[in-house]
Amino acid sequence: MSQTSPDVEQLLRLISRDQRLESLPRTGWQICGVDRPESIAAHIHGVTLIALWLADHQPPPGANVERVLRIALVHDLGEAMLTDLPRPVKELIGKDVVDQAEDRAADHILEALPSWRSAFQEYRQGQTLEARIVKVADRIQMLARALEYRHQKRGETSRFFDTSTSFDARGVHLAAEIFQALRRHFDDKTWFDPHFD
Amino acid sequence: MSQTSPDVEQLLRLISRDQRLESLPRTGWQICGVDRPESIAAHIHGVTLIALWLADHQPPPGANVERVLRIALVHDLGEAMLTDLPRPVKELIGKDVVDQAEDRAADHILEALPSWRSAFQEYRQGQTLEARIVKVADRIQMLARALEYRHQKRGETSRFFDTSTSFDARGVHLAAEIFQALRRHFDDKTWFDPHFD
Amino acid sequence: MSQTSPDVEQLLRLISRDQRLESLPRTGWQICGVDRPESIAAHIHGVTLIALWLADHQPPPGANVERVLRIALVHDLGEAMLTDLPRPVKELIGKDVVDQAEDRAADHILEALPSWRSAFQEYRQGQTLEARIVKVADRIQMLARALEYRHQKRGETSRFFDTSTSFDARGVHLAAEIFQALRRHFDDKTWFDPHFD
Amino acid sequence: MSQTSPDVEQLLRLISRDQRLESLPRTGWQICGVDRPESIAAHIHGVTLIALWLADHQPPPGANVERVLRIALVHDLGEAMLTDLPRPVKELIGKDVVDQAEDRAADHILEALPSWRSAFQEYRQGQTLEARIVKVADRIQMLARALEYRHQKRGETSRFFDTSTSFDARGVHLAAEIFQALRRHFDDKTWFDPHFD
Amino acid sequence: MSQTSPDVEQLLRLISRDQRLESLPRTGWQICGVDRPESIAAHIHGVTLIALWLADHQPPPGANVERVLRIALVHDLGEAMLTDLPRPVKELIGKDVVDQAEDRAADHILEALPSWRSAFQEYRQGQTLEARIVKVADRIQMLARALEYRHQKRGETSRFFDTSTSFDARGVHLAAEIFQALRRHFDDKTWFDPHFD
Amino acid sequence: MSQTSPDVEQLLRLISRDQRLESLPRTGWQICGVDRPESIAAHIHGVTLIALWLADHQPPPGANVERVLRIALVHDLGEAMLTDLPRPVKELIGKDVVDQAEDRAADHILEALPSWRSAFQEYRQGQTLEARIVKVADRIQMLARALEYRHQKRGETSRFFDTSTSFDARGVHLAAEIFQALRRHFDDKTWFDPHFD
């Protein structure tokens, strides 16, 4: 009698796939020698938080905050099937082939959620302000984590600040300044103290 | 010359506090004997995702999706200063005292972000539809994780489904049905296979 | 027929609570970035051993060695219920409130063992020579562990030797000299080699 | 000028050796498949606590409590040099040869502490009431830990309760009853709940 | 003056790539819920040992033992660049694409070692007795590890013995009998005791 | 009816013993402060690979490659019963006594495999070119791992390159040059980048 409705069944399956992101590590850190680095789930959380801050700070006419958050939440969901392949592995297989596989994974996972699926595609195309905010947030999260790991003496993450690299602000307000501030922390060998203040 | 502006400084400090949530475990699972359980950051991610799904599925006039996501993102940020105190520790200290400490922590962390701070308070009060959606999402995330850990034979988490417990749907559409579906999985000893389908 | 007597039941319950101290970490080290630091149980062992050495070395009329060891063994037993709350968490909640909670925990655990309970209270008051020996041993154990972790390049523990800090010998013979020797190891960046000599 | 005195130097060296016991695992549990089992330091703490309880409960003329605690504290210190060799390794090398090596290790570590060294020898001979109390405490600690690990579904520790084994109370008051109570827990598949009550 | 010769340089680079196989896990076990499973290096060791035993036991005219061991040693070296992609990830990307990437990786790593490179290709083609012995050894190693993990209650590995599966002996003497013996262990829920006999 | 033949039974038992080498750590690294160092199984794999390269590069009349690989595969199998005892533990017990125990272990494990057992004895005696190649490979594997761990900032492994040490090439072609190249990496503080090139 009390059967699970298709909607609810869909949610539970979505949750079960999303759960995997907690045990899947961000492999880029592992290659840098960071033992037990952040999970993909923790990464997505960080990106979403930063994206919200950026969205709140865009000058008029501003960004669609709901859309920004939706994009941030789904931007790495394909990795629940594909895992986070390290960059050298992607290059060995071919970046396009891997991107297509991730698209297929996202399509499969978000099948019955059109507004989520379109958010993923919007991120992939990277044209709208909302997608660009998430791309910038993704980069900020990564650089801040690299600074944290250096501060904790975990692994060797300085390559993320290779001097030849200039980070692309993508027209997002405050992004260039944030990247500069992160680079200053890198140059000055500083980061925030972890002592719970 | 190129000094970091107060806004950007505020963001970096916020990020550094949020980063701690990746290394802080959800202690309730540890007490159940789950070794290396999910982090607070991964928990928040899961709650945010579920909250988005619930918000999308509320019948007219619907929920304010942006507000739901904002509440979900901040609802446990106070733990960046307080850590996730296990329930028995809270009871020993006094639940009210701990709640007040968490309020102070959230106030401190979100000081210059009024719309974030009000979202935290809205969650604490738990009256609006948006706050109730996040509270229900928080519970769903926990029950689904308990099912996952049981499926993985990690720890002893069945107490979360104690038969005397009835989960409060808080007037959120589909919540009661979702709780029933989760309990069915508990009773049938089933959960989704982790094999990346 | 063969029922467990109240005495034996009391012992088994005491053991089961004490067992938790092996899985509970000393959180101060975690905040310093030490992964998998010593347990509370290992800390208590170290304190007891050092306290015995100090008690053996007090000039006439000497210390009551049995009492010293009894105090050392129970001085952190309350943490079997309260866990080892990091200093910033204690400050956020209020140090007095936390102390009272720990007193309640110790009272509960040591309920039927009056001489153990009075040993806990003696430690809390910190007046007798025996209590002061254990307080000094507690500090020595912590500083020596900080030196060990620095030698192993685990975390950042130098704050324990902040130059502004002067360690209180509390009238315990040799304590001042031991603190000086530890500080010399800190200044000279030395500690003993772990190679099992 | 301010040189470290021989006494203090001796203490620091003793501490540095004792510190190793926190990173050295009790290997018997590892062979049973328990991942990251208790350290030798945590084991010694447990034995000392149980030995104190037993000493407190001996009928007149009673035990020398200070001596009991001294013996408990040193009974495994030789393992700071020898490590905790698993039983099959001891048998392969020859139990006598290993015992002699442990004696040499203890002699070396406790060289300048005659009352500690004699306590180690007293334990080895196992004749006095004080030594027998520690031997019984050592066994109780191990059986209680086996019950805890079974309760936590870690490894396969039932061999410690092999029905053919009868535990030797060694004339220690209450020991036989305690062993029976532990066996009842084994037979009934019970142990205390870890939920911090 | 004393420059490293190209040969020696080649060896050191080969070693440095091979070293990675010690930190790279066999991901199939992780998907089954085995925490910290064997490394690729340990897997290769097991396969090589089993392959030697099989080679020694082939009836006249026998196998070329040196060739068998050479093939076993290189059969997974490509994973030093590609990592061990879980089966579902391979299927999502396309098994042929992944195989080609692994071929490119092996070619790159074994560039200047023609007899090693041809051994890899011989394994890929799987026609010669020597290659078939290694393929059978690879399967035996995996099934024996699945039995070990089940015995240790780590993860859920029974799918490797799915009743519909019949293991291909590939014309290798004793292989069919070995597969049967492994299945009997699976059916009888037995495996060898880990107690170092 | 379908009983396991003695041969196959022997193989399964051999595999089960060899499996332990995956969970047994190389303890020398642990004493140097390397957390979770390589297993014995991974060590044997590295030695076998290096030994194959050396065997391939010996000038005429060359080495018996099959014999080299057989020796490499069995040279540490005794540790499946004895574990990898740290050097100070060996010295405390007596190196000869430990060697004899390892011989007994190897004899027991390889009982019914005469050509494997004679390979173990050949290694112990260390006279033949084939045995000397494996001894040199064993040393090269260890030094290269020490360089890798230093590069990863894991533990303190420089003692392996103590300037007073001269590595014995044992008449193996290229060995002296390889040792020099490794020492140059040590002096120059270099090693290969782990980024999967």
Side-chain angles (χ1 to χ4, degrees):
Chain A
M1 157 213 64
S2 108
Q3 284 300 91
T4 308
S5 74
D7 264 6
V8 168
E9 187 65 29
Q10 178 206 65
L11 172 64
L12 297 195
R13 179 161 288 280
L14 177 68
I15 292 174
S16 79
R17 282 169 174 151
D18 187 56
Q19 285 179 334
R20 291 175 206 151
L21 298 177
E22 194 275 321
S23 16
L24 288 171
R26 292 266 290 170
T27 57
W29 305 123
Q30 291 183 311
I31 291 186
C32 293
V34 179
D35 189 39
R36 297 204 173 265
E38 61 169 346
S39 64
I40 301 176
H43 162 72
I44 295 176
H45 164 67
V47 171
T48 311
L49 192 89
I50 294 166
L52 174 57
W53 191 95
L54 287 172
D56 280 352
H57 284 77
Q58 294 308 298
N64 179 334
V65 179
E66 175 188 330
R67 188 68 180 172
V68 166
L69 296 176
R70 193 179 295 270
I71 294 171
L73 276 167
V74 303
H75 86 284
D76 271 345
L77 278 196
E79 299 189 357
M81 288 181 72
L82 190 63
T83 76
D84 177 32
L85 299 178
R87 180 180 300 266
V89 171
K90 279 185 186 162
E91 283 164 5
L92 192 61
I93 295 176
K95 208 161 167 345
D96 285 355
V97 177
V98 172
D99 277 356
Q100 287 159 24
E102 191 171 353
D103 288 350
R104 279 196 299 278
D107 282 356
H108 184 62
I109 293 173
L110 306 175
E111 195 169 15
L113 292 160
S115 70
W116 299 45
R117 199 166 166 179
S118 75
F120 182 85
Q121 286 158 349
E122 188 174 335
Y123 179 74
R124 181 67 91 205
Q125 285 150 17
Q127 299 304 312
T128 63
L129 173 60
E130 286 74 18
R132 286 179 284 121
I133 285 176
V134 178
K135 281 189 178 286
V136 162
D138 184 73
R139 180 57 57 100
I140 292 171
Q141 194 275 345
M142 192 187 72
L143 295 174
R145 193 66 89 184
L147 290 171
E148 183 198 20
Y149 286 148
R150 189 185 60 174
H151 202 60
Q152 297 173 338
K153 299 195 179 63
R154 296 169 69 187
E156 170 49 56
T157 59
S158 58
R159 66 166 43 201
F160 290 100
F161 285 94
D162 188 322
T163 51
S164 65
T165 315
S166 70
F167 304 119
D168 186 352
R170 297 174 188 268
V172 173
H173 184 59
L174 289 179
E177 197 188 333
I178 295 166
F179 286 134
Q180 282 168 29
L182 291 166
R183 185 178 291 281
R184 262 197 304 280
H185 275 291
F186 178 73
D187 292 338
D188 302 348
K189 299 192 186 305
T190 55
W191 191 236
F192 298 89
D193 220 320
H195 293 270
F196 285 27
D197 64 309
Chain B
M1 163 211 63
S2 104
Q3 284 300 92
T4 308
S5 73
D7 264 7
V8 168
E9 188 64 29
Q10 178 205 65
L11 172 64
L12 296 195
R13 179 161 286 281
L14 176 67
I15 291 174
S16 79
R17 282 170 173 150
D18 187 57
Q19 284 179 334
R20 292 175 206 150
L21 298 176
E22 194 275 321
S23 16
L24 289 171
R26 292 266 291 170
T27 57
W29 304 123
Q30 291 183 311
I31 291 187
C32 293
V34 178
D35 189 39
R36 299 204 172 265
E38 60 169 348
S39 63
I40 301 176
H43 162 71
I44 295 176
H45 164 66
V47 172
T48 311
L49 193 90
I50 294 166
L52 174 57
W53 191 94
L54 288 172
D56 280 351
H57 285 76
Q58 294 308 298
N64 179 335
V65 179
E66 176 188 328
R67 189 67 180 172
V68 166
L69 296 176
R70 192 178 297 270
I71 294 171
L73 276 167
V74 303
H75 86 285
D76 271 345
L77 278 195
E79 300 189 357
M81 288 183 71
L82 191 63
T83 77
D84 177 32
L85 299 179
R87 180 180 301 265
V89 171
K90 281 185 185 161
E91 283 164 5
L92 192 61
I93 295 176
K95 205 157 168 347
D96 284 354
V97 177
V98 172
D99 277 355
Q100 288 160 23
E102 191 170 353
D103 288 350
R104 279 197 299 278
D107 282 356
H108 184 62
I109 293 173
L110 305 176
E111 194 170 16
L113 292 161
S115 70
W116 299 45
R117 200 166 164 178
S118 75
F120 182 84
Q121 286 159 347
E122 188 173 335
Y123 179 74
R124 181 66 91 205
Q125 285 150 17
Q127 299 303 312
T128 64
L129 173 60
E130 287 73 18
R132 287 180 281 121
I133 285 175
V134 178
K135 281 191 179 284
V136 161
D138 185 73
R139 180 58 57 102
I140 292 171
Q141 194 274 344
M142 192 188 71
L143 295 175
R145 193 64 90 185
L147 291 171
E148 183 197 19
Y149 287 148
R150 189 185 60 174
H151 201 60
Q152 297 172 339
K153 300 195 179 63
R154 297 170 69 188
E156 170 50 56
T157 59
S158 58
R159 65 165 47 201
F160 290 99
F161 285 94
D162 188 320
T163 51
S164 63
T165 315
S166 71
F167 304 119
D168 186 351
R170 297 173 188 269
V172 173
H173 184 60
L174 289 179
E177 195 187 335
I178 295 165
F179 286 134
Q180 281 168 29
L182 290 165
R183 185 178 291 281
R184 262 198 301 280
H185 276 290
F186 177 74
D187 292 338
D188 301 349
K189 300 192 186 305
T190 55
W191 191 237
F192 297 89
D193 219 319
H195 294 270
F196 284 28
D197 64 309
Chain C
M1 164 209 63
S2 108
Q3 283 301 93
T4 307
S5 74
D7 264 6
V8 168
E9 187 64 28
Q10 178 206 67
L11 172 64
L12 296 195
R13 178 161 286 282
L14 176 68
I15 291 174
S16 78
R17 282 171 174 149
D18 187 57
Q19 284 179 334
R20 292 175 206 151
L21 297 177
E22 194 275 321
S23 16
L24 288 171
R26 291 267 290 170
T27 57
W29 305 123
Q30 291 182 312
I31 291 186
C32 293
V34 179
D35 190 39
R36 299 205 172 264
E38 61 170 347
S39 64
I40 301 175
H43 162 72
I44 295 175
H45 164 68
V47 172
T48 311
L49 192 89
I50 294 166
L52 175 57
W53 191 93
L54 287 171
D56 280 352
H57 285 76
Q58 293 309 297
N64 179 335
V65 179
E66 176 188 328
R67 188 68 180 170
V68 166
L69 296 176
R70 192 179 296 271
I71 294 171
L73 276 167
V74 303
H75 86 286
D76 271 345
L77 278 195
E79 299 189 357
M81 288 183 71
L82 190 63
T83 77
D84 177 30
L85 299 179
R87 180 180 302 267
V89 171
K90 281 184 185 163
E91 284 164 4
L92 192 60
I93 295 176
K95 206 162 167 345
D96 285 355
V97 178
V98 172
D99 277 355
Q100 288 159 24
E102 191 171 353
D103 288 350
R104 279 197 300 277
D107 282 357
H108 183 64
I109 293 174
L110 305 174
E111 192 170 17
L113 293 160
S115 71
W116 299 44
R117 198 165 165 178
S118 75
F120 182 86
Q121 286 158 348
E122 188 174 335
Y123 179 75
R124 180 67 91 204
Q125 287 150 17
Q127 299 303 311
T128 64
L129 173 60
E130 286 72 19
R132 287 180 282 120
I133 284 176
V134 177
K135 281 190 178 286
V136 162
D138 185 73
R139 180 57 57 101
I140 292 171
Q141 194 275 343
M142 192 188 72
L143 295 174
R145 193 66 88 185
L147 291 171
E148 182 197 21
Y149 286 148
R150 189 186 60 174
H151 201 60
Q152 297 172 339
K153 300 194 179 62
R154 296 169 69 187
E156 170 48 57
T157 59
S158 58
R159 65 165 44 199
F160 290 99
F161 285 93
D162 187 321
T163 52
S164 66
T165 314
S166 71
F167 305 118
D168 186 351
R170 297 173 189 267
V172 173
H173 184 58
L174 290 179
E177 196 188 335
I178 295 166
F179 287 135
Q180 282 168 29
L182 290 166
R183 185 177 289 283
R184 262 199 302 281
H185 276 290
F186 178 74
D187 292 338
D188 301 349
K189 298 191 186 306
T190 54
W191 192 237
F192 298 88
D193 219 320
H195 293 269
F196 284 28
D197 64 308
Chain D
M1 151 217 64
S2 105
Q3 283 300 93
T4 307
S5 73
D7 264 7
V8 168
E9 187 65 29
Q10 177 205 66
L11 172 64
L12 297 195
R13 179 162 286 283
L14 177 68
I15 291 174
S16 78
R17 282 170 173 149
D18 187 56
Q19 284 179 336
R20 292 176 205 150
L21 298 177
E22 192 275 321
S23 16
L24 289 171
R26 292 267 291 171
T27 57
W29 305 123
Q30 290 183 311
I31 291 187
C32 294
V34 179
D35 190 39
R36 299 204 172 265
E38 61 169 348
S39 63
I40 301 176
H43 162 71
I44 295 176
H45 163 67
V47 171
T48 311
L49 193 89
I50 294 165
L52 175 57
W53 191 95
L54 287 173
D56 280 353
H57 285 77
Q58 294 308 299
N64 179 334
V65 179
E66 174 188 330
R67 188 69 181 169
V68 165
L69 296 176
R70 193 179 295 270
I71 294 171
L73 276 167
V74 304
H75 86 285
D76 272 344
L77 278 195
E79 300 189 356
M81 289 183 70
L82 190 63
T83 77
D84 177 31
L85 300 179
R87 181 180 301 266
V89 172
K90 281 184 185 162
E91 283 163 5
L92 192 60
I93 295 176
K95 204 156 171 350
D96 285 356
V97 177
V98 171
D99 277 355
Q100 288 160 24
E102 191 171 354
D103 288 350
R104 279 196 300 277
D107 282 358
H108 184 63
I109 293 174
L110 305 175
E111 195 169 19
L113 293 161
S115 71
W116 299 44
R117 199 166 165 177
S118 75
F120 181 85
Q121 287 159 347
E122 188 173 334
Y123 179 75
R124 180 67 91 206
Q125 285 150 16
Q127 299 304 311
T128 64
L129 172 61
E130 287 73 18
R132 287 180 282 120
I133 284 176
V134 178
K135 281 188 179 287
V136 161
D138 185 73
R139 181 56 59 100
I140 292 171
Q141 194 274 345
M142 192 187 72
L143 295 174
R145 192 67 88 184
L147 290 171
E148 183 198 19
Y149 287 148
R150 189 186 61 174
H151 201 60
Q152 297 173 340
K153 300 195 179 64
R154 297 169 68 188
E156 170 49 57
T157 59
S158 58
R159 64 165 44 200
F160 290 99
F161 285 94
D162 187 322
T163 52
S164 64
T165 315
S166 70
F167 305 119
D168 186 352
R170 296 173 188 269
V172 173
H173 184 60
L174 289 178
E177 196 188 333
I178 295 166
F179 286 135
Q180 282 168 28
L182 290 166
R183 184 177 291 284
R184 262 197 303 279
H185 276 290
F186 178 73
D187 292 338
D188 301 349
K189 300 192 185 305
T190 55
W191 191 237
F192 297 88
D193 219 320
H195 293 271
F196 284 30
D197 64 308
Chain E
M1 155 214 63
S2 108
Q3 284 301 92
T4 308
S5 73
D7 264 7
V8 168
E9 187 65 29
Q10 178 205 65
L11 171 65
L12 297 195
R13 179 162 285 283
L14 176 67
I15 290 173
S16 78
R17 282 171 173 149
D18 187 57
Q19 283 179 336
R20 291 175 206 150
L21 298 177
E22 194 276 320
S23 15
L24 289 171
R26 291 267 290 169
T27 56
W29 304 122
Q30 291 183 311
I31 291 186
C32 294
V34 179
D35 190 39
R36 298 207 172 262
E38 61 169 348
S39 63
I40 302 176
H43 162 71
I44 296 176
H45 164 68
V47 171
T48 311
L49 194 89
I50 294 166
L52 174 58
W53 191 94
L54 287 172
D56 280 352
H57 284 77
Q58 294 308 298
N64 179 335
V65 179
E66 175 188 328
R67 189 69 181 171
V68 166
L69 295 176
R70 192 178 296 271
I71 293 171
L73 276 167
V74 303
H75 86 285
D76 271 344
L77 279 195
E79 299 188 358
M81 288 182 70
L82 190 63
T83 77
D84 178 31
L85 299 178
R87 180 180 301 267
V89 172
K90 281 184 185 162
E91 283 163 6
L92 193 60
I93 295 176
K95 205 157 168 349
D96 285 355
V97 177
V98 172
D99 278 356
Q100 287 159 24
E102 191 171 354
D103 288 351
R104 279 197 299 278
D107 282 357
H108 184 62
I109 293 173
L110 305 175
E111 193 169 18
L113 292 160
S115 71
W116 298 45
R117 199 166 165 176
S118 74
F120 181 85
Q121 286 159 348
E122 188 174 334
Y123 179 75
R124 180 68 90 203
Q125 284 149 17
Q127 299 304 311
T128 63
L129 173 60
E130 286 74 18
R132 286 180 282 121
I133 284 175
V134 178
K135 281 190 177 286
V136 162
D138 184 74
R139 181 58 57 102
I140 292 171
Q141 194 274 344
M142 192 187 71
L143 295 174
R145 192 66 88 184
L147 291 171
E148 183 197 20
Y149 286 148
R150 189 186 60 173
H151 201 60
Q152 296 173 341
K153 300 196 179 61
R154 296 170 67 188
E156 170 49 57
T157 59
S158 58
R159 64 164 45 199
F160 290 99
F161 286 94
D162 187 321
T163 51
S164 65
T165 314
S166 71
F167 304 119
D168 186 351
R170 296 173 189 265
V172 173
H173 184 58
L174 290 178
E177 196 188 334
I178 295 166
F179 286 134
Q180 282 168 29
L182 290 166
R183 184 176 291 281
R184 261 198 302 280
H185 275 290
F186 177 74
D187 292 338
D188 301 349
K189 300 193 185 303
T190 55
W191 191 237
F192 297 88
D193 220 317
H195 294 269
F196 285 29
D197 63 308
Chain F
M1 164 209 63
S2 111
Q3 284 300 94
T4 307
S5 74
D7 264 6
V8 168
E9 187 65 28
Q10 178 205 66
L11 172 64
L12 296 195
R13 180 163 284 282
L14 176 68
I15 291 174
S16 78
R17 283 170 173 149
D18 188 56
Q19 283 179 335
R20 292 176 206 151
L21 298 177
E22 194 274 320
S23 16
L24 288 171
R26 291 267 291 170
T27 57
W29 305 123
Q30 291 182 310
I31 291 186
C32 294
V34 179
D35 189 40
R36 298 206 173 264
E38 60 169 347
S39 63
I40 301 175
H43 162 71
I44 296 176
H45 164 67
V47 172
T48 311
L49 193 89
I50 293 166
L52 174 57
W53 191 94
L54 287 172
D56 280 352
H57 284 76
Q58 294 307 297
N64 178 334
V65 179
E66 176 188 328
R67 189 67 181 173
V68 166
L69 296 176
R70 192 179 296 270
I71 293 171
L73 276 166
V74 303
H75 86 285
D76 271 345
L77 278 195
E79 299 188 358
M81 288 183 71
L82 190 63
T83 76
D84 178 31
L85 299 178
R87 180 179 301 266
V89 172
K90 281 184 184 163
E91 284 164 4
L92 193 60
I93 296 176
K95 207 163 166 346
D96 285 356
V97 176
V98 172
D99 277 356
Q100 287 160 24
E102 191 171 353
D103 288 352
R104 279 197 299 278
D107 282 357
H108 184 62
I109 293 173
L110 306 175
E111 195 169 17
L113 292 161
S115 70
W116 298 46
R117 198 166 166 178
S118 74
F120 181 85
Q121 287 158 348
E122 189 174 333
Y123 179 75
R124 181 66 91 205
Q125 287 151 15
Q127 299 303 310
T128 63
L129 172 62
E130 285 73 18
R132 286 180 283 120
I133 285 175
V134 178
K135 280 188 178 286
V136 162
D138 185 73
R139 180 57 58 100
I140 292 171
Q141 195 274 343
M142 191 188 72
L143 294 173
R145 192 66 88 185
L147 291 171
E148 183 197 19
Y149 286 148
R150 190 186 59 174
H151 201 60
Q152 297 172 341
K153 301 195 179 61
R154 297 170 68 188
E156 169 49 57
T157 60
S158 58
R159 64 165 44 200
F160 290 99
F161 285 94
D162 187 321
T163 52
S164 65
T165 315
S166 70
F167 304 120
D168 187 351
R170 298 175 188 267
V172 173
H173 185 59
L174 290 179
E177 197 189 333
I178 295 166
F179 286 135
Q180 282 169 29
L182 289 166
R183 185 176 289 283
R184 262 198 303 280
H185 275 291
F186 177 74
D187 292 338
D188 302 349
K189 299 192 187 304
T190 55
W191 191 238
F192 297 88
D193 219 320
H195 293 270
F196 284 30
D197 64 307

